[in-house]
Amino acid sequence: MSSIWELYEYQPAFVVGFHGCDAKIGEGILSGRIKHLEFSRKKWDWLGHGIYFWEGNPQRALEWAEERKEQGKIITPFVIGAIIDLKHCLDLLDSSGLQQVKDAYRTLETGYTKISMPLPMNTGKDKAARKLDCLVINSLHDYLAANGLPEYDSVRAMFPEGDELYTDAGFKDKNHIQLCIREKSCIKGYFRPITP
């Protein structure tokens, strides 16, 4: 599943990411009591397992944390920023990255068909429970590792999400670019975002 464009899978610049969390975790990171954010290993993670950030979007990170407060999963919504080097990035805004994920799906589909098992499905509004996508992307990473191929440090994708901005719009009110950091060394530092 190697790409002829592999050279361009290494991102040339840092990006700024924002993570919504509880204030206890955010302050713990900023004080140095906690070294890093924890990996998410849920079976419905949108881009596979890793540490999640909203690229360049602190407001969306805050909205996510506020939604979790309403669900009783967070006490005090908080946003922490990070300077991120995506390094070797599976970029799903790039044709090569998309093809690799498509190939990983086909391989997975063949395996599941052979054992007569249905693949998991993405479900919910905006397919928010992405069990299939998580499995496919994790399977791609497993394939690379098992075959001694260069593994991805990060995954990047754009998601149209939410309601249309206006009738027949091509834009939605929660569109965003999501980052999944699989290698903690990609995170060069955390910071407290400046609020207006």
Side-chain angles (χ1 to χ4, degrees), residues 23-41:
K24 184 176 180 180
I25 292 170
E27 293 293 1
I29 294 282
L30 293 172
S31 72
R33 258 187 318 103
I34 301 171
K35 186 171 181 175
H36 273 295
L37 293 167
E38 292 292 320
F39 272 56
S40 179
R41 297 191 190 284

PDB file of all heavy atoms in Angstrom, residues 23-41:
ATOM      1  N   ALA A  23     -11.318  21.009  32.380  1.00  0.00           N
ATOM      2  CA  ALA A  23     -10.300  21.949  32.873  1.00  0.00           C
ATOM      3  C   ALA A  23      -9.237  21.240  33.715  1.00  0.00           C
ATOM      4  O   ALA A  23      -8.064  21.621  33.676  1.00  0.00           O
ATOM      5  CB  ALA A  23     -10.963  23.057  33.673  1.00  0.00           C
ATOM      6  N   LYS A  24      -9.610  20.221  34.465  1.00  0.00           N
ATOM      7  CA  LYS A  24      -8.651  19.497  35.303  1.00  0.00           C
ATOM      8  C   LYS A  24      -7.533  18.883  34.443  1.00  0.00           C
ATOM      9  O   LYS A  24      -6.354  18.948  34.800  1.00  0.00           O
ATOM     10  CB  LYS A  24      -9.382  18.406  36.104  1.00  0.00           C
ATOM     11  CG  LYS A  24      -8.509  17.675  37.073  1.00  0.00           C
ATOM     12  CD  LYS A  24      -9.325  16.677  37.898  1.00  0.00           C
ATOM     13  CE  LYS A  24      -8.426  15.940  38.872  1.00  0.00           C
ATOM     14  NZ  LYS A  24      -9.174  14.967  39.672  1.00  0.00           N
ATOM     15  N   ILE A  25      -7.900  18.341  33.297  1.00  0.00           N
ATOM     16  CA  ILE A  25      -6.896  17.762  32.397  1.00  0.00           C
ATOM     17  C   ILE A  25      -6.090  18.865  31.726  1.00  0.00           C
ATOM     18  O   ILE A  25      -4.862  18.816  31.687  1.00  0.00           O
ATOM     19  CB  ILE A  25      -7.575  16.856  31.354  1.00  0.00           C
ATOM     20  CG1 ILE A  25      -8.153  15.616  32.045  1.00  0.00           C
ATOM     21  CG2 ILE A  25      -6.602  16.456  30.252  1.00  0.00           C
ATOM     22  CD1 ILE A  25      -9.032  14.767  31.183  1.00  0.00           C
ATOM     23  N   GLY A  26      -6.778  19.878  31.192  1.00  0.00           N
ATOM     24  CA  GLY A  26      -6.079  20.973  30.514  1.00  0.00           C
ATOM     25  C   GLY A  26      -5.094  21.677  31.421  1.00  0.00           C
ATOM     26  O   GLY A  26      -3.936  21.918  31.040  1.00  0.00           O
ATOM     27  N   GLU A  27      -5.515  22.012  32.636  1.00  0.00           N
ATOM     28  CA  GLU A  27      -4.609  22.682  33.588  1.00  0.00           C
ATOM     29  C   GLU A  27      -3.476  21.741  34.003  1.00  0.00           C
ATOM     30  O   GLU A  27      -2.348  22.179  34.225  1.00  0.00           O
ATOM     31  CB  GLU A  27      -5.386  23.177  34.808  1.00  0.00           C
ATOM     32  CG  GLU A  27      -6.371  24.297  34.524  1.00  0.00           C
ATOM     33  CD  GLU A  27      -5.730  25.628  34.120  1.00  0.00           C
ATOM     34  OE1 GLU A  27      -4.484  25.735  34.033  1.00  0.00           O
ATOM     35  OE2 GLU A  27      -6.502  26.572  33.870  1.00  0.00           O
ATOM     36  N   GLY A  28      -3.772  20.447  34.099  1.00  0.00           N
ATOM     37  CA  GLY A  28      -2.732  19.472  34.427  1.00  0.00           C
ATOM     38  C   GLY A  28      -1.644  19.418  33.366  1.00  0.00           C
ATOM     39  O   GLY A  28      -0.455  19.339  33.674  1.00  0.00           O
ATOM     40  N   ILE A  29      -2.046  19.494  32.104  1.00  0.00           N
ATOM     41  CA  ILE A  29      -1.076  19.521  31.000  1.00  0.00           C
ATOM     42  C   ILE A  29      -0.253  20.808  31.064  1.00  0.00           C
ATOM     43  O   ILE A  29       0.980  20.789  30.979  1.00  0.00           O
ATOM     44  CB  ILE A  29      -1.800  19.426  29.631  1.00  0.00           C
ATOM     45  CG1 ILE A  29      -2.483  18.075  29.451  1.00  0.00           C
ATOM     46  CG2 ILE A  29      -0.853  19.729  28.478  1.00  0.00           C
ATOM     47  CD1 ILE A  29      -1.609  16.926  29.086  1.00  0.00           C
ATOM     48  N   LEU A  30      -0.928  21.947  31.218  1.00  0.00           N
ATOM     49  CA  LEU A  30      -0.244  23.238  31.220  1.00  0.00           C
ATOM     50  C   LEU A  30       0.701  23.391  32.411  1.00  0.00           C
ATOM     51  O   LEU A  30       1.743  24.038  32.300  1.00  0.00           O
ATOM     52  CB  LEU A  30      -1.260  24.379  31.185  1.00  0.00           C
ATOM     53  CG  LEU A  30      -2.067  24.476  29.889  1.00  0.00           C
ATOM     54  CD1 LEU A  30      -3.183  25.506  30.026  1.00  0.00           C
ATOM     55  CD2 LEU A  30      -1.173  24.787  28.700  1.00  0.00           C
ATOM     56  N   SER A  31       0.378  22.781  33.542  1.00  0.00           N
ATOM     57  CA  SER A  31       1.236  22.878  34.724  1.00  0.00           C
ATOM     58  C   SER A  31       2.395  21.883  34.677  1.00  0.00           C
ATOM     59  O   SER A  31       3.341  21.999  35.451  1.00  0.00           O
ATOM     60  CB  SER A  31       0.413  22.617  35.996  1.00  0.00           C
ATOM     61  OG  SER A  31       0.064  21.241  36.082  1.00  0.00           O
ATOM     62  N   GLY A  32       2.304  20.908  33.775  1.00  0.00           N
ATOM     63  CA  GLY A  32       3.343  19.880  33.691  1.00  0.00           C
ATOM     64  C   GLY A  32       3.051  18.661  34.557  1.00  0.00           C
ATOM     65  O   GLY A  32       3.812  17.693  34.534  1.00  0.00           O
ATOM     66  N   ARG A  33       1.967  18.688  35.336  1.00  0.00           N
ATOM     67  CA  ARG A  33       1.598  17.527  36.147  1.00  0.00           C
ATOM     68  C   ARG A  33       1.264  16.327  35.267  1.00  0.00           C
ATOM     69  O   ARG A  33       1.526  15.194  35.623  1.00  0.00           O
ATOM     70  CB  ARG A  33       0.370  17.851  37.006  1.00  0.00           C
ATOM     71  CG  ARG A  33       0.628  18.160  38.434  1.00  0.00           C
ATOM     72  CD  ARG A  33      -0.641  18.321  39.285  1.00  0.00           C
ATOM     73  NE  ARG A  33      -1.719  19.078  38.658  1.00  0.00           N
ATOM     74  CZ  ARG A  33      -2.810  18.540  38.111  1.00  0.00           C
ATOM     75  NH1 ARG A  33      -2.993  17.251  38.107  1.00  0.00           N
ATOM     76  NH2 ARG A  33      -3.737  19.315  37.582  1.00  0.00           N
ATOM     77  N   ILE A  34       0.642  16.608  34.116  1.00  0.00           N
ATOM     78  CA  ILE A  34       0.312  15.575  33.137  1.00  0.00           C
ATOM     79  C   ILE A  34       1.176  15.847  31.914  1.00  0.00           C
ATOM     80  O   ILE A  34       1.196  16.966  31.401  1.00  0.00           O
ATOM     81  CB  ILE A  34      -1.186  15.620  32.761  1.00  0.00           C
ATOM     82  CG1 ILE A  34      -2.069  15.431  33.993  1.00  0.00           C
ATOM     83  CG2 ILE A  34      -1.508  14.570  31.705  1.00  0.00           C
ATOM     84  CD1 ILE A  34      -3.554  15.666  33.736  1.00  0.00           C
ATOM     85  N   LYS A  35       1.900  14.833  31.455  1.00  0.00           N
ATOM     86  CA  LYS A  35       2.837  15.048  30.348  1.00  0.00           C
ATOM     87  C   LYS A  35       2.133  15.202  29.000  1.00  0.00           C
ATOM     88  O   LYS A  35       2.492  16.061  28.200  1.00  0.00           O
ATOM     89  CB  LYS A  35       3.840  13.892  30.280  1.00  0.00           C
ATOM     90  CG  LYS A  35       4.915  14.125  29.246  1.00  0.00           C
ATOM     91  CD  LYS A  35       6.013  13.102  29.318  1.00  0.00           C
ATOM     92  CE  LYS A  35       7.049  13.432  28.262  1.00  0.00           C
ATOM     93  NZ  LYS A  35       8.198  12.590  28.301  1.00  0.00           N
ATOM     94  N   HIS A  36       1.154  14.344  28.726  1.00  0.00           N
ATOM     95  CA  HIS A  36       0.467  14.374  27.430  1.00  0.00           C
ATOM     96  C   HIS A  36      -1.005  14.040  27.591  1.00  0.00           C
ATOM     97  O   HIS A  36      -1.398  13.380  28.554  1.00  0.00           O
ATOM     98  CB  HIS A  36       1.069  13.340  26.457  1.00  0.00           C
ATOM     99  CG  HIS A  36       2.226  13.835  25.675  1.00  0.00           C
ATOM    100  ND1 HIS A  36       2.153  14.848  24.750  1.00  0.00           N
ATOM    101  CD2 HIS A  36       3.513  13.423  25.655  1.00  0.00           C
ATOM    102  CE1 HIS A  36       3.331  15.046  24.209  1.00  0.00           C
ATOM    103  NE2 HIS A  36       4.172  14.199  24.749  1.00  0.00           N
ATOM    104  N   LEU A  37      -1.762  14.470  26.620  1.00  0.00           N
ATOM    105  CA  LEU A  37      -3.144  14.026  26.528  1.00  0.00           C
ATOM    106  C   LEU A  37      -3.135  12.524  26.257  1.00  0.00           C
ATOM    107  O   LEU A  37      -2.182  11.995  25.675  1.00  0.00           O
ATOM    108  CB  LEU A  37      -3.861  14.760  25.394  1.00  0.00           C
ATOM    109  CG  LEU A  37      -4.067  16.260  25.618  1.00  0.00           C
ATOM    110  CD1 LEU A  37      -4.491  16.942  24.321  1.00  0.00           C
ATOM    111  CD2 LEU A  37      -5.105  16.494  26.713  1.00  0.00           C
ATOM    112  N   GLU A  38      -4.194  11.852  26.657  1.00  0.00           N
ATOM    113  CA  GLU A  38      -4.303  10.400  26.475  1.00  0.00           C
ATOM    114  C   GLU A  38      -4.803  10.055  25.068  1.00  0.00           C
ATOM    115  O   GLU A  38      -5.576  10.801  24.477  1.00  0.00           O
ATOM    116  CB  GLU A  38      -5.271   9.818  27.503  1.00  0.00           C
ATOM    117  CG  GLU A  38      -4.770   9.875  28.926  1.00  0.00           C
ATOM    118  CD  GLU A  38      -3.580   8.965  29.167  1.00  0.00           C
ATOM    119  OE1 GLU A  38      -3.569   7.832  28.639  1.00  0.00           O
ATOM    120  OE2 GLU A  38      -2.653   9.400  29.882  1.00  0.00           O
ATOM    121  N   PHE A  39      -4.348   8.906  24.572  1.00  0.00           N
ATOM    122  CA  PHE A  39      -4.857   8.369  23.320  1.00  0.00           C
ATOM    123  C   PHE A  39      -6.319   7.974  23.492  1.00  0.00           C
ATOM    124  O   PHE A  39      -6.694   7.431  24.520  1.00  0.00           O
ATOM    125  CB  PHE A  39      -4.075   7.107  22.928  1.00  0.00           C
ATOM    126  CG  PHE A  39      -2.845   7.375  22.124  1.00  0.00           C
ATOM    127  CD1 PHE A  39      -1.864   8.221  22.589  1.00  0.00           C
ATOM    128  CD2 PHE A  39      -2.673   6.756  20.906  1.00  0.00           C
ATOM    129  CE1 PHE A  39      -0.729   8.452  21.863  1.00  0.00           C
ATOM    130  CE2 PHE A  39      -1.534   6.988  20.169  1.00  0.00           C
ATOM    131  CZ  PHE A  39      -0.564   7.833  20.632  1.00  0.00           C
ATOM    132  N   SER A  40      -7.101   8.233  22.486  1.00  0.00           N
ATOM    133  CA  SER A  40      -8.455   7.697  22.428  1.00  0.00           C
ATOM    134  C   SER A  40      -8.356   6.343  21.736  1.00  0.00           C
ATOM    135  O   SER A  40      -7.701   6.207  20.703  1.00  0.00           O
ATOM    136  CB  SER A  40      -9.368   8.630  21.635  1.00  0.00           C
ATOM    137  OG  SER A  40     -10.661   8.076  21.571  1.00  0.00           O
ATOM    138  N   ARG A  41      -9.000   5.350  22.312  1.00  0.00           N
ATOM    139  CA  ARG A  41      -8.989   3.993  21.740  1.00  0.00           C
ATOM    140  C   ARG A  41     -10.412   3.452  21.623  1.00  0.00           C
ATOM    141  O   ARG A  41     -10.646   2.274  21.804  1.00  0.00           O
ATOM    142  CB  ARG A  41      -8.120   3.076  22.591  1.00  0.00           C
ATOM    143  CG  ARG A  41      -6.668   3.502  22.635  1.00  0.00           C
ATOM    144  CD  ARG A  41      -5.785   2.448  23.267  1.00  0.00           C
ATOM    145  NE  ARG A  41      -4.450   2.938  23.529  1.00  0.00           N
ATOM    146  CZ  ARG A  41      -3.503   3.105  22.623  1.00  0.00           C
ATOM    147  NH1 ARG A  41      -3.734   2.831  21.368  1.00  0.00           N
ATOM    148  NH2 ARG A  41      -2.312   3.547  22.969  1.00  0.00           N
TER     149      ARG A  41
END
